[in-house]
Structure formats: structure tokens, C-alpha cells
Amino acid sequence: MNRRAFIEANTDWQTPPHAPEIRLRLAAEVYAIWRMTEEELMERGVPPPFWAFAWAGGQALARHVLDHPEIVCGKRVTDLASGSGLVGIAAMKAGAASVLAADIDMFAVEAIRINAVANSVDVVASGRDLLEMPAEGCDVILVGDLFYEKDLAAKVFGWLEEAEARGVTALIGD
């Protein structure tokens, strides 16, 4: 399946309400793309399109970073479970030295690439599961809307606590 074609066919260019300076490919109609993923694509192993929406926690975190660029300015940033790339893009617009936007959904990785180019920022998109290794090579970790399941939340908090013990700053929007 051509991920780029799927994203372009099922999303439109939009600006999130709380970060209007950023353009993203987002689902205009929640139910159509969600139903399509569940009904037609599930048998192909396509996960739900969390990347196709600008979730509230991510919007709040992006807005906070844009309003307080000193948080990321000149720093190496990791955007964990990046989805559309909203928070990582905001970090680059706020002056981050670099951004690694990671998501285990390869559709999200493609969406991050599309959205970064559209916003004229250089974001490295990765499909690696960063929770399987210690956080390395970053000064700041940004996490939006990743605490929707108890076991996952515990795993993320443990990973962030380990990173913070080594001097990494972690910010959560949820």
C-alpha cells in the first residue's frame, strides 16, 4: 500500500486550532477514515489513524513550545509517538537544533515527513520504538496524548523518569 497516496486521499491541509501557524494533513471527517481503517484495512494490518488528528494534548504542548521557545531553542528534541508531527514541527519552528519525531505507525512516519516539508522544517521521522531503549541523543523529550492505556502509560512514565535522571527534560501534553 502506498502510504503517501493513502494520506493524501484521506486527509486535507488544515491548521490545528491552537497552533494555526502549522499546516498538517489531517482527517476532515473523523468517521470516514476511522471506519475505512477499521473495516477495509484492518485485515492488512493498518493501525487506527491516530496520526490523522491534532489531539488536544499535542496541540497544547505545541502551543506551549511555540510560546516558550527557550524550552527547545538550540536543543536536541525527541517527539515521542509523534503522530502527525505537530509537536516536533512546533519545536523546530521554536528553534530546536534538531528533532527526532518517532512513531511506531509507519503511516505516521510518512505523515510526519509530508508535514515537515509543508512547514519548511527539517524533522527526522523514525518508526523505531524508542521505549525499547534508553533515551539517547536528546536534551528534551516531548510527549503528546500517549497516556490512554494504563500499561502503556506506566511504560512511558518509567522511560521518561530514567531519561530525566540523566538530565533530559520531559514535557507532557495529555
Side-chain angles (χ1 to χ4, degrees):
M1 170 178 293
N2 183 318
R3 292 181 188 104
R4 179 175 289 271
F6 178 83
I7 290 166
E8 290 173 351
N10 290 285
T11 62
D12 294 311
W13 288 111
Q14 298 181 40
T15 56
H18 299 293
E21 54 272 81
I22 297 175
R23 291 182 52 216
L24 302 171
R25 295 295 309 205
L26 298 173
E29 176 54 59
V30 172
Y31 302 109
I33 191 171
W34 209 274
R35 187 172 49 252
M36 180 189 310
T37 300
E38 288 183 346
E39 294 172 4
E40 297 174 28
L41 301 177
M42 193 59 90
E43 65 271 3
R44 294 188 198 174
V46 176
F50 295 117
W51 54 267
F53 307 97
W55 301 96
Q59 285 192 60
L61 189 53
R63 179 79 267 145
H64 185 70
V65 166
L66 290 165
D67 290 346
H68 303 279
E70 66 279 4
I71 294 168
V72 297
C73 190
K75 297 178 181 168
R76 300 166 301 161
V77 176
T78 295
D79 178 10
L80 180 66
S82 187
S84 67
L86 170 61
V87 177
I89 291 167
M92 284 303 293
K93 286 185 169 280
S98 65
V99 170
L100 171 64
D103 201 295
I104 60 172
D105 181 343
M106 294 309 293
F107 283 87
V109 172
E110 187 63 29
I112 293 163
R113 291 179 180 137
I114 293 167
N115 292 330
V117 169
N119 285 278
S120 302
V121 296
D122 185 19
V123 171
V124 175
S126 173
R128 291 183 318 186
D129 184 352
L130 299 185
L131 298 178
E132 298 302 319
M133 61 195 87
E136 295 177 350
C138 65
D139 306 302
V140 178
I141 299 171
L142 304 173
V143 187
D145 300 293
L146 190 55
F147 300 92
Y148 50 87
E149 292 177 348
K150 184 179 179 181
D151 291 342
L152 176 60
K155 185 173 183 177
V156 173
F157 274 123
W159 187 79
L160 292 173
E161 287 171 345
E162 187 274 329
E164 286 183 321
R166 291 184 293 106
V168 176
T169 300
L171 294 167
I172 297 169
D174 198 83

mmCIF file of all heavy atoms in Angstrom, residues 52-95:
data_model
loop_
_atom_site.group_PDB
_atom_site.id
_atom_site.type_symbol
_atom_site.label_atom_id
_atom_site.label_comp_id
_atom_site.label_asym_id
_atom_site.label_seq_id
_atom_site.Cartn_x
_atom_site.Cartn_y
_atom_site.Cartn_z
ATOM 1 N N ALA A 52 -3.828 11.082 12.085
ATOM 2 C CA ALA A 52 -4.666 11.927 11.230
ATOM 3 C C ALA A 52 -5.438 13.000 11.994
ATOM 4 O O ALA A 52 -6.252 13.702 11.407
ATOM 5 C CB ALA A 52 -5.631 11.056 10.428
ATOM 6 N N PHE A 53 -5.157 13.142 13.279
ATOM 7 C CA PHE A 53 -5.894 14.102 14.099
ATOM 8 C C PHE A 53 -4.934 14.902 14.962
ATOM 9 O O PHE A 53 -3.928 14.365 15.433
ATOM 10 C CB PHE A 53 -6.911 13.369 14.986
ATOM 11 C CG PHE A 53 -7.801 12.472 14.184
ATOM 12 C CD1 PHE A 53 -7.525 11.121 14.080
ATOM 13 C CD2 PHE A 53 -8.879 12.980 13.482
ATOM 14 C CE1 PHE A 53 -8.315 10.288 13.290
ATOM 15 C CE2 PHE A 53 -9.663 12.169 12.690
ATOM 16 C CZ PHE A 53 -9.389 10.805 12.593
ATOM 17 N N ALA A 54 -5.240 16.163 15.156
ATOM 18 C CA ALA A 54 -4.445 17.009 16.057
ATOM 19 C C ALA A 54 -5.115 16.927 17.431
ATOM 20 O O ALA A 54 -6.022 17.692 17.753
ATOM 21 C CB ALA A 54 -4.398 18.451 15.544
ATOM 22 N N TRP A 55 -4.663 15.971 18.245
ATOM 23 C CA TRP A 55 -5.257 15.720 19.561
ATOM 24 C C TRP A 55 -4.988 16.891 20.496
ATOM 25 O O TRP A 55 -4.003 17.616 20.356
ATOM 26 C CB TRP A 55 -4.703 14.413 20.133
ATOM 27 C CG TRP A 55 -4.998 13.254 19.235
ATOM 28 C CD1 TRP A 55 -4.168 12.709 18.296
ATOM 29 C CD2 TRP A 55 -6.220 12.522 19.145
ATOM 30 N NE1 TRP A 55 -4.791 11.672 17.643
ATOM 31 C CE2 TRP A 55 -6.060 11.538 18.140
ATOM 32 C CE3 TRP A 55 -7.434 12.602 19.819
ATOM 33 C CZ2 TRP A 55 -7.068 10.646 17.791
ATOM 34 C CZ3 TRP A 55 -8.430 11.694 19.473
ATOM 35 C CH2 TRP A 55 -8.246 10.734 18.479
ATOM 36 N N ALA A 56 -5.845 17.062 21.468
ATOM 37 C CA ALA A 56 -5.795 18.232 22.361
ATOM 38 C C ALA A 56 -4.474 18.366 23.109
ATOM 39 O O ALA A 56 -3.928 19.464 23.220
ATOM 40 C CB ALA A 56 -6.961 18.179 23.351
ATOM 41 N N GLY A 57 -3.946 17.273 23.635
ATOM 42 C CA GLY A 57 -2.694 17.344 24.388
ATOM 43 C C GLY A 57 -1.525 17.767 23.514
ATOM 44 O O GLY A 57 -0.671 18.549 23.932
ATOM 45 N N GLY A 58 -1.483 17.250 22.301
ATOM 46 C CA GLY A 58 -0.441 17.644 21.367
ATOM 47 C C GLY A 58 -0.561 19.101 20.968
ATOM 48 O O GLY A 58 0.442 19.819 20.856
ATOM 49 N N GLN A 59 -1.785 19.560 20.762
ATOM 50 C CA GLN A 59 -1.984 20.974 20.437
ATOM 51 C C GLN A 59 -1.521 21.866 21.589
ATOM 52 O O GLN A 59 -0.851 22.883 21.366
ATOM 53 C CB GLN A 59 -3.451 21.261 20.137
ATOM 54 C CG GLN A 59 -3.897 20.766 18.794
ATOM 55 C CD GLN A 59 -5.244 21.335 18.429
ATOM 56 O OE1 GLN A 59 -5.393 22.552 18.336
ATOM 57 N NE2 GLN A 59 -6.219 20.462 18.230
ATOM 58 N N ALA A 60 -1.867 21.479 22.810
ATOM 59 C CA ALA A 60 -1.455 22.273 23.973
ATOM 60 C C ALA A 60 0.065 22.292 24.104
ATOM 61 O O ALA A 60 0.665 23.352 24.371
ATOM 62 C CB ALA A 60 -2.089 21.712 25.247
ATOM 63 N N LEU A 61 0.702 21.154 23.898
ATOM 64 C CA LEU A 61 2.154 21.076 24.004
ATOM 65 C C LEU A 61 2.823 21.881 22.888
ATOM 66 O O LEU A 61 3.787 22.616 23.128
ATOM 67 C CB LEU A 61 2.590 19.613 23.977
ATOM 68 C CG LEU A 61 4.046 19.312 24.290
ATOM 69 C CD1 LEU A 61 4.490 19.933 25.616
ATOM 70 C CD2 LEU A 61 4.253 17.801 24.312
ATOM 71 N N ALA A 62 2.312 21.782 21.668
ATOM 72 C CA ALA A 62 2.850 22.567 20.553
ATOM 73 C C ALA A 62 2.723 24.064 20.844
ATOM 74 O O ALA A 62 3.667 24.833 20.644
ATOM 75 C CB ALA A 62 2.118 22.210 19.258
ATOM 76 N N ARG A 63 1.573 24.473 21.342
ATOM 77 C CA ARG A 63 1.354 25.892 21.653
ATOM 78 C C ARG A 63 2.330 26.355 22.740
ATOM 79 O O ARG A 63 2.902 27.443 22.672
ATOM 80 C CB ARG A 63 -0.091 26.104 22.111
ATOM 81 C CG ARG A 63 -0.447 27.526 22.489
ATOM 82 C CD ARG A 63 -0.722 28.410 21.264
ATOM 83 N NE ARG A 63 0.455 29.112 20.824
ATOM 84 C CZ ARG A 63 0.743 29.373 19.541
ATOM 85 N NH1 ARG A 63 -0.046 28.971 18.563
ATOM 86 N NH2 ARG A 63 1.831 30.010 19.211
ATOM 87 N N HIS A 64 2.524 25.514 23.754
ATOM 88 C CA HIS A 64 3.434 25.855 24.856
ATOM 89 C C HIS A 64 4.863 26.028 24.341
ATOM 90 O O HIS A 64 5.557 26.984 24.700
ATOM 91 C CB HIS A 64 3.372 24.777 25.939
ATOM 92 C CG HIS A 64 4.169 25.102 27.150
ATOM 93 N ND1 HIS A 64 3.816 26.102 28.029
ATOM 94 C CD2 HIS A 64 5.320 24.563 27.621
ATOM 95 C CE1 HIS A 64 4.722 26.163 28.999
ATOM 96 N NE2 HIS A 64 5.643 25.247 28.772
ATOM 97 N N VAL A 65 5.300 25.124 23.475
ATOM 98 C CA VAL A 65 6.648 25.204 22.915
ATOM 99 C C VAL A 65 6.790 26.447 22.032
ATOM 100 O O VAL A 65 7.797 27.153 22.092
ATOM 101 C CB VAL A 65 6.972 23.903 22.134
ATOM 102 C CG1 VAL A 65 8.207 24.065 21.258
ATOM 103 C CG2 VAL A 65 7.146 22.739 23.101
ATOM 104 N N LEU A 66 5.780 26.737 21.230
ATOM 105 C CA LEU A 66 5.829 27.930 20.374
ATOM 106 C C LEU A 66 5.842 29.216 21.199
ATOM 107 O O LEU A 66 6.517 30.187 20.839
ATOM 108 C CB LEU A 66 4.649 27.930 19.400
ATOM 109 C CG LEU A 66 4.712 26.872 18.293
ATOM 110 C CD1 LEU A 66 3.349 26.717 17.626
ATOM 111 C CD2 LEU A 66 5.792 27.219 17.283
ATOM 112 N N ASP A 67 5.107 29.219 22.302
ATOM 113 C CA ASP A 67 5.041 30.409 23.163
ATOM 114 C C ASP A 67 6.247 30.544 24.088
ATOM 115 O O ASP A 67 6.506 31.625 24.612
ATOM 116 C CB ASP A 67 3.762 30.386 24.002
ATOM 117 C CG ASP A 67 2.511 30.619 23.171
ATOM 118 O OD1 ASP A 67 2.635 31.060 22.002
ATOM 119 O OD2 ASP A 67 1.407 30.333 23.676
ATOM 120 N N HIS A 68 6.961 29.448 24.314
ATOM 121 C CA HIS A 68 8.130 29.433 25.201
ATOM 122 C C HIS A 68 9.303 28.753 24.488
ATOM 123 O O HIS A 68 9.744 27.662 24.891
ATOM 124 C CB HIS A 68 7.798 28.702 26.512
ATOM 125 C CG HIS A 68 6.642 29.305 27.233
ATOM 126 N ND1 HIS A 68 6.767 30.418 28.023
ATOM 127 C CD2 HIS A 68 5.330 28.968 27.242
ATOM 128 C CE1 HIS A 68 5.576 30.744 28.510
ATOM 129 N NE2 HIS A 68 4.690 29.883 28.047
ATOM 130 N N PRO A 69 9.826 29.378 23.442
ATOM 131 C CA PRO A 69 10.862 28.734 22.632
ATOM 132 C C PRO A 69 12.134 28.395 23.396
ATOM 133 O O PRO A 69 12.879 27.500 22.986
ATOM 134 C CB PRO A 69 11.134 29.760 21.525
ATOM 135 C CG PRO A 69 10.623 31.053 22.045
ATOM 136 C CD PRO A 69 9.495 30.711 22.967
ATOM 137 N N GLU A 70 12.352 29.047 24.524
ATOM 138 C CA GLU A 70 13.555 28.750 25.311
ATOM 139 C C GLU A 70 13.588 27.291 25.786
ATOM 140 O O GLU A 70 14.649 26.754 26.099
ATOM 141 C CB GLU A 70 13.671 29.700 26.507
ATOM 142 C CG GLU A 70 12.594 29.555 27.576
ATOM 143 C CD GLU A 70 11.259 30.258 27.286
ATOM 144 O OE1 GLU A 70 11.092 30.837 26.198
ATOM 145 O OE2 GLU A 70 10.378 30.206 28.159
ATOM 146 N N ILE A 71 12.455 26.633 25.802
ATOM 147 C CA ILE A 71 12.382 25.227 26.204
ATOM 148 C C ILE A 71 13.183 24.353 25.240
ATOM 149 O O ILE A 71 13.830 23.390 25.655
ATOM 150 C CB ILE A 71 10.916 24.748 26.260
ATOM 151 C CG1 ILE A 71 10.160 25.492 27.379
ATOM 152 C CG2 ILE A 71 10.824 23.237 26.445
ATOM 153 C CD1 ILE A 71 8.657 25.297 27.329
ATOM 154 N N VAL A 72 13.139 24.690 23.959
ATOM 155 C CA VAL A 72 13.761 23.840 22.941
ATOM 156 C C VAL A 72 14.857 24.527 22.133
ATOM 157 O O VAL A 72 15.606 23.856 21.417
ATOM 158 C CB VAL A 72 12.694 23.286 21.960
ATOM 159 C CG1 VAL A 72 11.699 22.399 22.698
ATOM 160 C CG2 VAL A 72 11.987 24.402 21.217
ATOM 161 N N CYS A 73 14.957 25.822 22.222
ATOM 162 C CA CYS A 73 15.875 26.576 21.373
ATOM 163 C C CYS A 73 17.317 26.058 21.505
ATOM 164 O O CYS A 73 17.862 25.974 22.604
ATOM 165 C CB CYS A 73 15.818 28.058 21.709
ATOM 166 S SG CYS A 73 16.689 29.069 20.513
ATOM 167 N N GLY A 74 17.893 25.657 20.370
ATOM 168 C CA GLY A 74 19.260 25.165 20.343
ATOM 169 C C GLY A 74 19.440 23.772 20.909
ATOM 170 O O GLY A 74 20.567 23.296 21.029
ATOM 171 N N LYS A 75 18.353 23.091 21.237
ATOM 172 C CA LYS A 75 18.433 21.772 21.879
ATOM 173 C C LYS A 75 18.040 20.656 20.920
ATOM 174 O O LYS A 75 17.340 20.869 19.933
ATOM 175 C CB LYS A 75 17.546 21.746 23.113
ATOM 176 C CG LYS A 75 18.014 22.743 24.167
ATOM 177 C CD LYS A 75 17.118 22.774 25.365
ATOM 178 C CE LYS A 75 17.649 23.824 26.362
ATOM 179 N NZ LYS A 75 16.673 24.098 27.389
ATOM 180 N N ARG A 76 18.483 19.442 21.260
ATOM 181 C CA ARG A 76 18.107 18.237 20.526
ATOM 182 C C ARG A 76 16.825 17.693 21.151
ATOM 183 O O ARG A 76 16.791 17.416 22.345
ATOM 184 C CB ARG A 76 19.217 17.200 20.611
ATOM 185 C CG ARG A 76 20.546 17.692 20.034
ATOM 186 C CD ARG A 76 21.689 16.797 20.436
ATOM 187 N NE ARG A 76 21.781 16.770 21.914
ATOM 188 C CZ ARG A 76 22.404 15.835 22.604
ATOM 189 N NH1 ARG A 76 23.005 14.838 22.008
ATOM 190 N NH2 ARG A 76 22.436 15.884 23.921
ATOM 191 N N VAL A 77 15.795 17.581 20.330
ATOM 192 C CA VAL A 77 14.455 17.247 20.818
ATOM 193 C C VAL A 77 14.006 15.909 20.245
ATOM 194 O O VAL A 77 14.220 15.618 19.074
ATOM 195 C CB VAL A 77 13.454 18.357 20.427
ATOM 196 C CG1 VAL A 77 12.034 17.980 20.832
ATOM 197 C CG2 VAL A 77 13.863 19.691 21.048
ATOM 198 N N THR A 78 13.356 15.120 21.097
ATOM 199 C CA THR A 78 12.673 13.906 20.657
ATOM 200 C C THR A 78 11.184 14.108 20.869
ATOM 201 O O THR A 78 10.754 14.488 21.961
ATOM 202 C CB THR A 78 13.146 12.672 21.449
ATOM 203 O OG1 THR A 78 14.523 12.438 21.147
ATOM 204 C CG2 THR A 78 12.338 11.436 21.092
ATOM 205 N N ASP A 79 10.411 13.888 19.828
ATOM 206 C CA ASP A 79 8.953 13.934 19.887
ATOM 207 C C ASP A 79 8.482 12.487 19.867
ATOM 208 O O ASP A 79 8.475 11.834 18.826
ATOM 209 C CB ASP A 79 8.427 14.730 18.692
ATOM 210 C CG ASP A 79 6.907 14.806 18.634
ATOM 211 O OD1 ASP A 79 6.242 14.415 19.607
ATOM 212 O OD2 ASP A 79 6.397 15.257 17.587
ATOM 213 N N LEU A 80 8.124 11.965 21.029
ATOM 214 C CA LEU A 80 7.746 10.564 21.194
ATOM 215 C C LEU A 80 6.295 10.350 20.787
ATOM 216 O O LEU A 80 5.419 11.106 21.208
ATOM 217 C CB LEU A 80 7.937 10.135 22.657
ATOM 218 C CG LEU A 80 7.588 8.692 22.991
ATOM 219 C CD1 LEU A 80 8.527 7.724 22.287
ATOM 220 C CD2 LEU A 80 7.634 8.475 24.498
ATOM 221 N N ALA A 81 6.042 9.303 20.001
ATOM 222 C CA ALA A 81 4.703 8.997 19.492
ATOM 223 C C ALA A 81 4.147 10.220 18.770
ATOM 224 O O ALA A 81 3.077 10.714 19.052
ATOM 225 C CB ALA A 81 3.782 8.530 20.619
ATOM 226 N N SER A 82 4.901 10.672 17.811
ATOM 227 C CA SER A 82 4.701 11.957 17.159
ATOM 228 C C SER A 82 3.392 12.100 16.398
ATOM 229 O O SER A 82 2.893 13.208 16.249
ATOM 230 C CB SER A 82 5.883 12.227 16.213
ATOM 231 O OG SER A 82 5.820 13.501 15.684
ATOM 232 N N GLY A 83 2.841 11.027 15.890
ATOM 233 C CA GLY A 83 1.587 11.139 15.137
ATOM 234 C C GLY A 83 1.774 11.936 13.856
ATOM 235 O O GLY A 83 2.508 11.532 12.963
ATOM 236 N N SER A 84 1.144 13.072 13.776
ATOM 237 C CA SER A 84 1.233 13.941 12.595
ATOM 238 C C SER A 84 2.541 14.716 12.526
ATOM 239 O O SER A 84 2.859 15.300 11.498
ATOM 240 C CB SER A 84 0.078 14.941 12.601
ATOM 241 O OG SER A 84 0.227 15.850 13.697
ATOM 242 N N GLY A 85 3.265 14.752 13.651
ATOM 243 C CA GLY A 85 4.492 15.547 13.714
ATOM 244 C C GLY A 85 4.279 16.934 14.279
ATOM 245 O O GLY A 85 5.211 17.731 14.359
ATOM 246 N N LEU A 86 3.063 17.238 14.698
ATOM 247 C CA LEU A 86 2.712 18.572 15.178
ATOM 248 C C LEU A 86 3.694 19.117 16.202
ATOM 249 O O LEU A 86 4.225 20.221 16.056
ATOM 250 C CB LEU A 86 1.292 18.562 15.771
ATOM 251 C CG LEU A 86 0.850 19.819 16.534
ATOM 252 C CD1 LEU A 86 0.871 21.038 15.632
ATOM 253 C CD2 LEU A 86 -0.524 19.598 17.147
ATOM 254 N N VAL A 87 3.974 18.370 17.254
ATOM 255 C CA VAL A 87 4.814 18.871 18.347
ATOM 256 C C VAL A 87 6.264 19.020 17.893
ATOM 257 O O VAL A 87 6.923 20.013 18.203
ATOM 258 C CB VAL A 87 4.682 17.968 19.594
ATOM 259 C CG1 VAL A 87 5.606 18.434 20.703
ATOM 260 C CG2 VAL A 87 3.232 17.951 20.076
ATOM 261 N N GLY A 88 6.759 18.068 17.133
ATOM 262 C CA GLY A 88 8.121 18.169 16.623
ATOM 263 C C GLY A 88 8.290 19.348 15.670
ATOM 264 O O GLY A 88 9.304 20.050 15.697
ATOM 265 N N ILE A 89 7.306 19.567 14.822
ATOM 266 C CA ILE A 89 7.334 20.712 13.913
ATOM 267 C C ILE A 89 7.329 22.009 14.707
ATOM 268 O O ILE A 89 8.082 22.937 14.412
ATOM 269 C CB ILE A 89 6.161 20.636 12.912
ATOM 270 C CG1 ILE A 89 6.385 19.467 11.945
ATOM 271 C CG2 ILE A 89 5.994 21.955 12.158
ATOM 272 C CD1 ILE A 89 5.161 19.089 11.120
ATOM 273 N N ALA A 90 6.502 22.073 15.747
ATOM 274 C CA ALA A 90 6.482 23.264 16.602
ATOM 275 C C ALA A 90 7.848 23.491 17.236
ATOM 276 O O ALA A 90 8.329 24.633 17.309
ATOM 277 C CB ALA A 90 5.405 23.118 17.685
ATOM 278 N N ALA A 91 8.507 22.418 17.670
ATOM 279 C CA ALA A 91 9.832 22.549 18.284
ATOM 280 C C ALA A 91 10.836 23.124 17.286
ATOM 281 O O ALA A 91 11.645 23.994 17.637
ATOM 282 C CB ALA A 91 10.305 21.198 18.812
ATOM 283 N N MET A 92 10.804 22.648 16.045
ATOM 284 C CA MET A 92 11.718 23.193 15.038
ATOM 285 C C MET A 92 11.404 24.659 14.754
ATOM 286 O O MET A 92 12.312 25.479 14.636
ATOM 287 C CB MET A 92 11.665 22.371 13.746
ATOM 288 C CG MET A 92 12.398 21.053 13.828
ATOM 289 S SD MET A 92 14.166 21.185 14.292
ATOM 290 C CE MET A 92 14.851 22.013 12.867
ATOM 291 N N LYS A 93 10.135 25.007 14.669
ATOM 292 C CA LYS A 93 9.758 26.402 14.441
ATOM 293 C C LYS A 93 10.187 27.282 15.612
ATOM 294 O O LYS A 93 10.432 28.476 15.444
ATOM 295 C CB LYS A 93 8.257 26.532 14.185
ATOM 296 C CG LYS A 93 7.853 26.040 12.803
ATOM 297 C CD LYS A 93 6.384 26.301 12.551
ATOM 298 C CE LYS A 93 6.042 26.061 11.103
ATOM 299 N NZ LYS A 93 6.388 27.142 10.218
ATOM 300 N N ALA A 94 10.290 26.690 16.809
ATOM 301 C CA ALA A 94 10.704 27.433 18.001
ATOM 302 C C ALA A 94 12.222 27.469 18.159
ATOM 303 O O ALA A 94 12.732 28.005 19.134
ATOM 304 C CB ALA A 94 10.049 26.826 19.243
ATOM 305 N N GLY A 95 12.954 26.870 17.220
ATOM 306 C CA GLY A 95 14.404 26.994 17.242
ATOM 307 C C GLY A 95 15.185 25.796 17.727
ATOM 308 O O GLY A 95 16.380 25.917 18.033
#
